[in-house]
Amino acid sequence: MDFPFLWATFLRLIEGVPLTLQLAFLSVGTGLIFALLLGFAMLARFRPLKWLAQAYVFIFRGTPLLVQLFLIYYGLGQFRPFLQELDLWWFFRSPFYCVLLALAMNTAAYGAEIIRGGLQSVPAAQVEAARAFGMSGLTLYRRIIGPIALRQALPSYGNELILMVKATALGSTVTLMELTGIAHKLISETFRAVEIFLVAGSIYLFLNFLLTRLVAWGERAIAPDLAAQEKAKTDIGLKPVQAH
Amino acid sequence: MQSLALLAWGPTGWLDELTFAAGLTLLVALAGFALGSVFGALAAAAKLSRSRLARGAAEVYTTVLRGVPDLLVIYLFYFGGAAMLSAVARLFGHTGFVGMPAFVTAAIAIGLVNGAYQTEVLRGAYLAIPKGELEAATACGMSGWTKARRIVIPQVLRFALPGLGNVWQLVLKESALVAVIGLAVHLPSIDVFSLFTLPEVRFNDLLRQAHVAAGSTRLPFIFYLAAGCFYLLLTTASTLVFQRAERRALVGMRRA
């Protein structure tokens, strides 16, 4: 093991972490807002709205993120004069904004499915009981539907967050110098792929480890009773096996 | 309307090239999935084994490959694989750089990543087999291999089918990443028994082919959109196939 080289690589790679985190946080943030709208739209009673949301989710989950990114970054270049006229060209010219848009639109589709699943998992009886108490509208959502749906959705959403951190690596294909971009540059300079992979991979694993801890903490915070039960079951080896 | 003519079949349009490219993409995905099943089955067996070392190794494998971007793994094999091959070639007196065929690189990289996901699916499926059935098989005097062949494998496949369907969708979409290492299969022209010659052919993968078409026609939006449609076609067709397979596999099961 060439430790001085590993250390030097680490110092170079760590410069890419802020951009990786920036991409991940900004895209997840904007994606979540969009996902919420889509998730509710998928359960809407107004059919056209529902179909529109379903079509969006179907298309974005059925195609690779890289194709979506190329479509936005390279593809929209075809309409450059038009975009310049609309004064939007500064946005679509920038690889950073294009990656952000592609990631956010992609995670919105997956997030919408998770939110729809969470909302549908709320037992009808609970909603009926709440209505019988005279709750309506926002109160119903704030007290009953929201908390139950959130408990259901958070574990899946945690997985989606990790996928997003990994997905930021695609930024390197459109010249962004985030973690993978720098790793790629270093590999093609030195051809020491294994060592550089080791360091870059460790950084990603560390980021994702922090993320899983954060999500686990969040799960405990919103559902302490459930988390305690689960832990007890795991501890004594009774954790039920998931049936298909 | 001129752009529509560019999407026609034949020498003037790009539809034939894109279709063949989609075929190559499907092939990479299939190879990656098949390799992934091997890695996945081995790692799942290791995770279920009594040996602490095997369990630890499998745990490291799935944690690393599921926590690191796929693109990084592809870069590792594209550059690292070539370096490794060159080192081996040097042992045999060959000097210089030996490249690794892009198809092999892509299949191994995708297979390794996909295997990590398959591990969890297969492990879960094994655990879903009722313990009583395994005990009954032992009580009937079945040996390890017979038990695996008659009791374990058929049920693991049945329980794993929905999960494997998801993993297949992943591998299909992941196969787009191989465009960054320029996956192309190059077949030289072949003389068949001096009767006729097969022309030299060169296949790109779907996204790469779209990239090439976009560059030469300066209509990137049209061609990336076309690539997206092909992917949508592949993923949708896969969904239908897996739905049918699940129906068939569950024929003898009681529905809850």
Coordinates of all heavy atoms in Angstrom, one line a residue, chain A residues 63-123:
Chain A
T63 N -37.0 5.2 -17.8 CA -35.8 5.5 -18.6 C -34.6 5.8 -17.7 O -34.8 6.2 -16.6 CB -36.1 6.8 -19.5 OG1 -36.5 7.8 -18.7 CG2 -37.1 6.5 -20.6
P64 N -33.4 5.6 -18.2 CA -32.2 5.8 -17.4 C -32.0 7.3 -17.1 O -32.3 8.1 -18.0 CB -31.1 5.3 -18.3 CG -31.7 4.4 -19.3 CD -33.0 5.0 -19.5
L65 N -31.5 7.6 -15.9 CA -31.3 9.0 -15.6 C -30.3 9.6 -16.5 O -30.4 10.8 -16.8 CB -30.7 9.0 -14.1 CG -30.3 10.3 -13.5 CD1 -31.4 11.3 -13.6 CD2 -29.9 10.1 -12.1
L66 N -29.3 8.8 -17.0 CA -28.3 9.4 -17.9 C -28.9 9.9 -19.2 O -28.6 11.0 -19.7 CB -27.2 8.4 -18.2 CG -26.0 8.9 -18.9 CD1 -25.3 9.9 -18.0 CD2 -25.0 7.7 -19.2
V67 N -29.9 9.2 -19.7 CA -30.6 9.6 -20.9 C -31.4 10.9 -20.6 O -31.4 11.9 -21.4 CB -31.6 8.5 -21.4 CG1 -32.5 9.0 -22.5 CG2 -30.8 7.3 -21.8
Q68 N -32.0 11.0 -19.4 CA -32.7 12.2 -19.1 C -31.8 13.4 -19.0 O -32.1 14.5 -19.4 CB -33.4 12.0 -17.7 CG -34.6 11.0 -17.8 CD -34.9 10.4 -16.4 OE1 -34.6 10.9 -15.4 NE2 -35.6 9.3 -16.4
L69 N -30.6 13.1 -18.4 CA -29.6 14.2 -18.3 C -29.1 14.7 -19.6 O -29.1 15.9 -19.9 CB -28.4 13.7 -17.4 CG -27.2 14.7 -17.3 CD1 -27.7 16.0 -16.7 CD2 -26.1 14.0 -16.5
F70 N -28.8 13.7 -20.5 CA -28.4 14.1 -21.9 C -29.4 14.8 -22.6 O -29.2 15.8 -23.4 CB -27.9 12.8 -22.6 CG -26.5 12.4 -22.3 CD1 -25.9 12.9 -21.2 CD2 -25.9 11.4 -23.0 CE1 -24.6 12.4 -20.8 CE2 -24.6 10.9 -22.7 CZ -24.0 11.5 -21.6
L71 N -30.7 14.4 -22.4 CA -31.8 15.0 -23.1 C -31.9 16.5 -22.7 O -32.1 17.4 -23.5 CB -33.1 14.3 -22.8 CG -34.3 14.5 -23.7 CD1 -33.9 14.1 -25.1 CD2 -35.4 13.7 -23.2
I72 N -31.7 16.8 -21.4 CA -31.7 18.2 -20.9 C -30.5 19.0 -21.3 O -30.6 20.0 -21.9 CB -31.9 18.2 -19.4 CG1 -33.3 17.6 -19.0 CG2 -31.8 19.6 -18.9 CD1 -33.5 17.4 -17.6
Y73 N -29.3 18.4 -21.1 CA -28.1 19.2 -21.3 C -27.7 19.3 -22.7 O -27.5 20.4 -23.2 CB -27.0 18.5 -20.5 CG -25.7 19.3 -20.6 CD1 -25.6 20.6 -20.1 CD2 -24.5 18.7 -21.2 CE1 -24.4 21.3 -20.2 CE2 -23.4 19.4 -21.3 CZ -23.3 20.7 -20.8 OH -22.1 21.4 -20.9
Y74 N -27.6 18.2 -23.5 CA -27.3 18.2 -24.9 C -28.5 18.5 -25.7 O -28.5 19.3 -26.7 CB -26.6 16.9 -25.3 CG -25.3 16.7 -24.7 CD1 -25.1 15.5 -23.9 CD2 -24.2 17.5 -24.9 CE1 -23.9 15.3 -23.3 CE2 -23.0 17.3 -24.3 CZ -22.8 16.1 -23.5 OH -21.6 15.9 -22.9
G75 N -29.6 17.8 -25.4 CA -30.8 17.8 -26.3 C -31.4 19.2 -26.4 O -31.7 19.7 -27.5
L76 N -31.6 19.9 -25.3 CA -32.2 21.2 -25.4 C -31.3 22.2 -26.1 O -31.8 23.3 -26.5 CB -32.6 21.7 -24.0 CG -33.7 20.9 -23.3 CD1 -34.0 21.4 -21.9 CD2 -35.0 21.0 -24.2
G77 N -30.1 21.9 -26.3 CA -29.2 22.8 -27.1 C -29.7 23.0 -28.5 O -29.4 24.0 -29.1
Q78 N -30.5 22.0 -28.9 CA -31.1 22.1 -30.3 C -32.0 23.3 -30.4 O -32.2 23.9 -31.4 CB -31.9 20.8 -30.5 CG -32.3 20.6 -31.9 CD -33.1 19.3 -32.1 OE1 -32.8 18.3 -31.4 NE2 -34.1 19.3 -32.9
F79 N -32.6 23.7 -29.2 CA -33.6 24.8 -29.3 C -32.9 26.1 -28.7 O -33.6 26.9 -28.1 CB -34.8 24.5 -28.5 CG -35.4 23.2 -28.8 CD1 -35.4 22.1 -28.0 CD2 -35.9 23.0 -30.1 CE1 -36.0 20.9 -28.3 CE2 -36.4 21.8 -30.5 CZ -36.5 20.7 -29.6
R80 N -31.6 26.2 -28.9 CA -30.9 27.3 -28.3 C -31.5 28.7 -28.6 O -31.7 29.5 -27.7 CB -29.4 27.3 -28.7 CG -28.6 28.4 -28.1 CD -27.2 28.2 -28.4 NE -26.4 29.4 -28.0 CZ -25.1 29.5 -28.2 NH1 -24.4 28.5 -28.7 NH2 -24.5 30.6 -27.8
P81 N -31.8 29.0 -29.9 CA -32.3 30.4 -30.2 C -33.6 30.7 -29.5 O -33.7 31.8 -28.9 CB -32.5 30.3 -31.8 CG -31.7 29.2 -32.2 CD -31.6 28.2 -31.1
F82 N -34.4 29.6 -29.5 CA -35.7 29.8 -28.8 C -35.5 30.1 -27.3 O -36.1 31.0 -26.7 CB -36.5 28.5 -29.0 CG -37.8 28.5 -28.3 CD1 -38.8 29.4 -28.7 CD2 -38.1 27.7 -27.3 CE1 -40.1 29.5 -28.1 CE2 -39.4 27.7 -26.7 CZ -40.3 28.6 -27.1
L83 N -34.6 29.3 -26.7 CA -34.3 29.4 -25.2 C -33.7 30.8 -25.0 O -33.9 31.4 -23.9 CB -33.4 28.3 -24.7 CG -34.1 26.9 -24.7 CD1 -33.1 25.8 -24.4 CD2 -35.2 26.9 -23.6
Q84 N -32.8 31.2 -25.9 CA -32.2 32.5 -25.7 C -33.3 33.6 -25.7 O -33.2 34.6 -25.0 CB -31.2 32.8 -26.8 CG -29.8 32.2 -26.4 CD -28.8 32.2 -27.6 OE1 -29.2 32.1 -28.7 NE2 -27.5 32.3 -27.2
E85 N -34.2 33.5 -26.6 CA -35.3 34.4 -26.7 C -36.1 34.5 -25.4 O -36.5 35.6 -25.0 CB -36.2 34.0 -27.9 CG -36.9 35.2 -28.5 CD -37.5 34.8 -29.8 OE1 -36.7 34.4 -30.8 OE2 -38.7 34.7 -29.9
L86 N -36.3 33.3 -24.8 CA -37.0 33.3 -23.5 C -36.1 33.7 -22.4 O -36.6 33.7 -21.2 CB -37.5 31.9 -23.3 CG -38.7 31.4 -24.1 CD1 -39.1 30.0 -23.8 CD2 -39.9 32.3 -24.0
D87 N -34.8 34.0 -22.7 CA -33.9 34.3 -21.6 C -33.7 33.2 -20.6 O -33.5 33.4 -19.4 CB -34.4 35.6 -20.9 CG -33.2 36.4 -20.4 OD1 -32.0 36.0 -20.8 OD2 -33.3 37.4 -19.6
L88 N -33.8 32.0 -21.1 CA -33.6 30.8 -20.2 C -32.2 30.1 -20.5 O -31.9 29.1 -19.9 CB -34.7 29.8 -20.4 CG -36.0 30.1 -19.8 CD1 -37.1 29.2 -20.2 CD2 -35.9 30.1 -18.3
W89 N -31.5 30.6 -21.5 CA -30.3 29.9 -22.0 C -29.3 29.8 -20.9 O -28.5 28.8 -20.8 CB -29.8 30.6 -23.2 CG -28.6 29.9 -23.8 CD1 -27.4 30.3 -24.0 CD2 -28.6 28.5 -24.2 NE1 -26.5 29.4 -24.5 CE2 -27.2 28.2 -24.7 CE3 -29.5 27.5 -24.3 CZ2 -26.9 27.0 -25.2 CZ3 -29.1 26.2 -24.8 CH2 -27.8 26.0 -25.2
W90 N -29.1 30.8 -20.0 CA -28.1 30.8 -19.0 C -28.3 29.5 -18.1 O -27.4 29.0 -17.6 CB -28.2 32.0 -18.1 CG -29.5 32.2 -17.5 CD1 -30.6 32.9 -18.0 CD2 -30.0 31.7 -16.2 NE1 -31.7 32.8 -17.1 CE2 -31.3 32.1 -16.0 CE3 -29.4 31.0 -15.2 CZ2 -32.1 31.8 -14.9 CZ3 -30.1 30.6 -14.1 CH2 -31.4 31.0 -13.9
F91 N -29.6 29.1 -18.0 CA -29.9 28.0 -17.1 C -29.5 26.7 -17.8 O -28.8 25.8 -17.3 CB -31.4 27.9 -16.8 CG -31.8 26.9 -15.9 CD1 -31.8 27.1 -14.5 CD2 -32.1 25.6 -16.3 CE1 -32.2 26.1 -13.6 CE2 -32.5 24.6 -15.4 CZ -32.5 24.8 -14.1
F92 N -29.9 26.5 -19.1 CA -29.7 25.3 -19.8 C -28.3 25.2 -20.4 O -27.9 24.1 -20.9 CB -30.7 25.1 -20.9 CG -32.1 24.8 -20.3 CD1 -33.0 25.8 -20.3 CD2 -32.4 23.6 -19.7 CE1 -34.3 25.6 -19.7 CE2 -33.7 23.4 -19.2 CZ -34.6 24.4 -19.2
R93 N -27.5 26.2 -20.3 CA -26.1 26.2 -20.7 C -25.2 25.6 -19.6 O -24.2 25.1 -19.9 CB -25.7 27.6 -21.1 CG -24.5 27.7 -22.0 CD -24.1 29.2 -22.1 NE -23.9 29.8 -20.8 CZ -23.7 31.1 -20.6 NH1 -23.7 31.9 -21.7 NH2 -23.6 31.6 -19.4
S94 N -25.7 25.8 -18.4 CA -24.9 25.4 -17.3 C -25.0 23.9 -16.9 O -26.1 23.5 -16.7 CB -25.3 26.3 -16.1 OG -25.2 25.5 -14.9
P95 N -23.9 23.2 -16.9 CA -24.0 21.8 -16.6 C -24.6 21.6 -15.2 O -25.3 20.7 -14.9 CB -22.6 21.2 -16.7 CG -21.7 22.4 -16.8 CD -22.5 23.6 -17.3
F96 N -24.2 22.5 -14.3 CA -24.6 22.4 -12.9 C -26.2 22.4 -12.8 O -26.8 21.5 -12.2 CB -24.0 23.5 -12.0 CG -24.5 23.5 -10.6 CD1 -23.9 22.6 -9.7 CD2 -25.5 24.4 -10.2 CE1 -24.3 22.6 -8.4 CE2 -25.9 24.3 -8.8 CZ -25.3 23.4 -7.9
Y97 N -26.8 23.4 -13.4 CA -28.2 23.5 -13.3 C -28.9 22.4 -14.1 O -30.0 21.9 -13.7 CB -28.7 24.9 -13.9 CG -28.4 26.0 -13.1 CD1 -27.7 27.1 -13.6 CD2 -28.7 26.0 -11.7 CE1 -27.4 28.2 -12.7 CE2 -28.4 27.1 -10.9 CZ -27.7 28.2 -11.4 OH -27.4 29.2 -10.6
C98 N -28.3 21.9 -15.2 CA -28.9 20.8 -15.9 C -28.9 19.5 -15.1 O -29.9 18.8 -15.1 CB -28.2 20.6 -17.3 SG -28.6 21.8 -18.5
V99 N -27.8 19.3 -14.4 CA -27.7 18.1 -13.6 C -28.7 18.2 -12.5 O -29.5 17.2 -12.2 CB -26.3 17.9 -13.0 CG1 -26.3 16.8 -12.0 CG2 -25.3 17.6 -14.1
L100 N -28.8 19.4 -11.9 CA -29.7 19.6 -10.8 C -31.2 19.3 -11.3 O -31.9 18.6 -10.6 CB -29.6 21.1 -10.4 CG -29.8 21.4 -8.9 CD1 -28.9 20.5 -8.0 CD2 -29.6 22.8 -8.6
L101 N -31.5 19.9 -12.4 CA -32.9 19.7 -13.0 C -33.1 18.2 -13.2 O -34.2 17.7 -12.8 CB -33.0 20.5 -14.3 CG -34.4 20.4 -14.9 CD1 -35.4 21.1 -14.0 CD2 -34.4 21.2 -16.2
A102 N -32.2 17.5 -13.9 CA -32.4 16.1 -14.2 C -32.5 15.3 -12.9 O -33.5 14.4 -12.8 CB -31.2 15.5 -15.0
L103 N -31.7 15.5 -11.9 CA -31.8 14.8 -10.7 C -33.1 15.0 -10.0 O -33.8 14.1 -9.5 CB -30.6 15.1 -9.7 CG -29.2 14.7 -10.1 CD1 -28.2 15.2 -9.1 CD2 -29.1 13.2 -10.1
A104 N -33.5 16.3 -9.9 CA -34.7 16.7 -9.2 C -35.9 16.1 -9.9 O -36.8 15.5 -9.2 CB -34.9 18.2 -9.1
M105 N -36.0 16.1 -11.2 CA -37.1 15.6 -11.9 C -37.2 14.1 -11.8 O -38.3 13.5 -11.7 CB -37.1 15.9 -13.4 CG -37.4 17.4 -13.7 SD -37.2 17.8 -15.4 CE -38.8 17.4 -16.0
N106 N -36.0 13.4 -11.7 CA -35.9 12.0 -11.6 C -36.4 11.6 -10.2 O -37.2 10.7 -10.0 CB -34.5 11.5 -11.9 CG -34.4 10.0 -11.9 OD1 -34.2 9.4 -10.9 ND2 -34.7 9.4 -13.0
T107 N -35.8 12.2 -9.2 CA -36.2 11.8 -7.8 C -37.6 12.1 -7.5 O -38.3 11.5 -6.7 CB -35.3 12.4 -6.8 OG1 -35.6 11.9 -5.5 CG2 -35.4 13.9 -6.7
A108 N -38.2 13.2 -8.2 CA -39.6 13.5 -8.0 C -40.5 12.3 -8.4 O -41.5 12.0 -7.7 CB -40.0 14.7 -8.8
A109 N -40.1 11.6 -9.5 CA -40.9 10.5 -9.9 C -40.9 9.4 -8.9 O -41.9 8.8 -8.5 CB -40.5 10.0 -11.3
Y110 N -39.7 9.0 -8.4 CA -39.6 7.9 -7.4 C -40.2 8.4 -6.1 O -40.9 7.6 -5.4 CB -38.1 7.6 -7.2 CG -37.5 6.8 -8.4 CD1 -36.9 7.4 -9.4 CD2 -37.7 5.4 -8.4 CE1 -36.4 6.7 -10.5 CE2 -37.1 4.7 -9.5 CZ -36.5 5.4 -10.5 OH -36.0 4.7 -11.6
G111 N -40.0 9.6 -5.7 CA -40.6 10.1 -4.5 C -42.1 10.1 -4.5 O -42.7 9.8 -3.5
A112 N -42.6 10.5 -5.7 CA -44.1 10.5 -5.8 C -44.7 9.1 -5.5 O -45.7 9.0 -4.8 CB -44.5 11.0 -7.2
E113 N -44.0 8.1 -6.0 CA -44.5 6.7 -5.8 C -44.5 6.4 -4.3 O -45.4 5.8 -3.7 CB -43.6 5.7 -6.5 CG -44.0 5.4 -7.9 CD -45.4 4.6 -7.9 OE1 -45.4 3.5 -7.5 OE2 -46.3 5.2 -8.4
I114 N -43.4 6.8 -3.6 CA -43.3 6.6 -2.2 C -44.3 7.3 -1.4 O -45.0 6.8 -0.5 CB -41.8 7.0 -1.7 CG1 -40.8 6.1 -2.4 CG2 -41.7 6.9 -0.2 CD1 -39.4 6.6 -2.1
I115 N -44.6 8.6 -1.8 CA -45.6 9.4 -1.1 C -47.0 8.8 -1.3 O -47.8 8.7 -0.4 CB -45.5 10.8 -1.5 CG1 -44.2 11.4 -0.9 CG2 -46.7 11.6 -1.1 CD1 -43.8 12.7 -1.6
R116 N -47.2 8.4 -2.6 CA -48.5 7.8 -2.9 C -48.7 6.5 -2.0 O -49.8 6.4 -1.4 CB -48.6 7.4 -4.3 CG -49.9 6.8 -4.7 CD -49.9 6.3 -6.2 NE -48.9 5.2 -6.3 CZ -49.1 4.0 -6.1 NH1 -50.3 3.6 -5.7 NH2 -48.2 3.1 -6.2
G117 N -47.7 5.7 -1.9 CA -47.8 4.5 -1.1 C -48.0 4.8 0.4 O -48.8 4.2 1.0
G118 N -47.3 5.9 0.9 CA -47.5 6.3 2.2 C -48.9 6.7 2.5 O -49.6 6.4 3.5
L119 N -49.5 7.6 1.6 CA -50.8 8.1 1.8 C -51.8 7.0 1.7 O -52.8 7.0 2.5 CB -51.1 9.1 0.7 CG -50.4 10.5 0.8 CD1 -50.6 11.4 -0.4 CD2 -50.8 11.2 2.1
Q120 N -51.6 6.0 0.8 CA -52.6 4.9 0.7 C -52.5 4.0 1.9 O -53.4 3.2 2.1 CB -52.3 4.2 -0.6 CG -52.9 4.9 -1.8 CD -52.8 4.2 -3.1 OE1 -51.8 3.5 -3.3 NE2 -53.7 4.4 -4.0
S121 N -51.4 4.0 2.6 CA -51.3 3.1 3.7 C -52.0 3.5 4.9 O -52.2 2.8 5.9 CB -49.8 2.9 4.1 OG -49.4 4.0 4.8
V122 N -52.5 4.7 4.9 CA -53.3 5.2 6.1 C -54.6 4.5 6.1 O -55.4 4.6 5.1 CB -53.5 6.7 6.0 CG1 -54.3 7.2 7.2 CG2 -52.2 7.5 5.9
P123 N -54.9 3.8 7.2 CA -56.2 3.0 7.3 C -57.4 3.9 7.2 O -57.4 5.0 7.8 CB -56.1 2.3 8.6 CG -54.7 2.4 9.0 CD -54.1 3.6 8.4

